[in-house]
Amino acid sequence: MIEISAADGHVFSAYRTEPPDAPKGAVVVLHEVFGVNRHIRTVTDAFAAKGYMAIAPSLFDRVKKDVELSYDDAGVAEGLDLARQVGLTNAIADIQAAVDAVASTGKVAIVGYDWGGYLAYHAANMVKGLACASIYYACGVTQDLYGKRKIQTQLHFGSLDPYIPFELVVQFRSARPDVSVYDYPAGHSFNCEERDTYDASAAQKAFERTLTLISHNLEGPPPVTLKNAGSYASAKVEKKKKQASDDLGPPL
């Protein structure tokens, strides 16, 4: 755990994991309404294992420190109340500070889950220094049918999510061709291995797509090798001799 100072002087904690080698960039992970719990730390570690400096800021610190809530109804209720108290403006300020804290490692991506996904979606257009955004099952995002994205953004939804009607996802996908929208035959929080809604297949596919997005935007797309490129390069091309023209020019 480290401490970060926001522009307004607020000091908050963040969970940071360094990659085994020199970082290829950084990933900021935004937590659900349950705080920086074991699941979020596991996700952060997974991005670090792929070569990125990974950091998960504790966005509840403005209201309550060291928040790790349970997944029952009481935990959900408390988490939603904390999220309301923090608000979007304060959260964006802390996200900006988190991005600034890791910017020296290279380009920065942002990934958010649930409430963190909602924040990541807005941070993508409000926070400076971000290269791309990947958002998981964020409530409220599908209502944004007319906005424009400043950075490449992808969304991940469960088609069986009781909190985000799938028809809204379909409508959003149709209205927003500028955003990559993926859906999986799964429910809400399908990426959390500690909940009964966890879907290993959906989580793996979403993680792979997220990694592709991040690697392309932070490192650049992989080189493309053309089939038979070597053969073309080594082939000897004989220049044909220019044949004498039968055209003797205009008549005298």
Side-chain angles (χ1 to χ4, degrees):
M1 300 297 293
I2 63 170
E3 288 191 339
I4 299 175
S5 295
D8 62 357
H10 168 63
V11 179
F12 60 97
S13 61
Y15 177 74
R16 185 182 68 183
T17 306
E18 298 183 6
D21 301 309
K24 300 181 289 186
V27 179
V28 175
V29 178
L30 303 187
H31 61 78
E32 302 168 288
V33 295
F34 308 103
V36 182
N37 58 10
R38 184 168 57 184
H39 166 59
I40 293 299
R41 294 193 294 270
T42 298
V43 168
T44 307
D45 291 343
F47 285 115
K50 294 298 181 180
Y52 304 101
M53 176 71 74
I55 186 171
S58 181
L59 302 176
F60 284 159
D61 276 11
R62 285 183 178 267
V63 179
K64 185 177 180 180
K65 299 283 188 179
D66 304 321
V67 175
E68 288 192 46
L69 302 175
S70 61
Y71 294 113
D72 58 14
D73 291 343
V76 172
E78 183 177 355
L80 290 175
D81 182 59
L82 289 171
R84 281 191 289 268
Q85 291 184 63
V86 171
L88 180 61
T89 301
N90 286 331
I92 291 296
D94 294 346
I95 294 167
Q96 182 68 72
V99 171
D100 294 342
V102 295
S104 62
T105 64
K107 295 181 179 180
V108 183
I110 193 166
V111 182
Y113 304 86
D114 191 54
W115 179 60
Y118 171 83
L119 296 176
Y121 186 82
H122 290 285
N125 276 17
M126 299 172 70
V127 170
K128 297 179 180 179
L130 289 173
C132 61
S134 183
I135 289 123
Y136 286 65
Y137 34 82
C139 296
V141 166
T142 53
Q143 278 74 32
D144 182 26
L145 300 179
Y146 307 104
K148 292 184 178 180
R149 297 279 86 199
K150 291 184 178 180
I151 60 176
Q152 189 173 358
T153 302
Q154 67 177 210
L155 304 180
H156 306 274
F157 294 103
S159 60
L160 307 178
D161 192 330
Y163 306 108
I164 306 174
F166 189 59
E167 55 267 25
L168 294 182
V169 175
V170 174
Q171 181 182 20
F172 180 88
R173 178 188 281 128
S174 177
R176 299 300 305 274
D178 59 318
V179 181
S180 298
V181 181
Y182 301 103
D183 64 86
Y184 312 85
H188 196 73
S189 297
F190 64 78
N191 189 68
C192 182
E193 70 285 349
E194 298 187 6
R195 306 189 69 175
D196 55 8
T197 52
Y198 175 64
D199 188 295
S201 176
Q204 181 61 30
K205 289 179 181 178
F207 185 62
E208 291 172 356
R209 285 165 171 162
T210 297
L211 285 177
T212 298
L213 174 78
I214 291 173
S215 64
H216 281 198
N217 283 276
L218 271 58
E219 306 168 58
V224 177
T225 302
L226 298 176
K227 186 177 181 181
N228 296 327
S231 300
Y232 289 124
S234 61
K236 293 182 178 180
V237 180
E238 294 184 1
K239 292 184 178 180
K240 292 183 179 180
K241 293 182 179 180
K242 187 175 182 181
Q243 295 180 353
S245 175
D246 293 332
D247 184 3
L248 299 179
L252 296 176

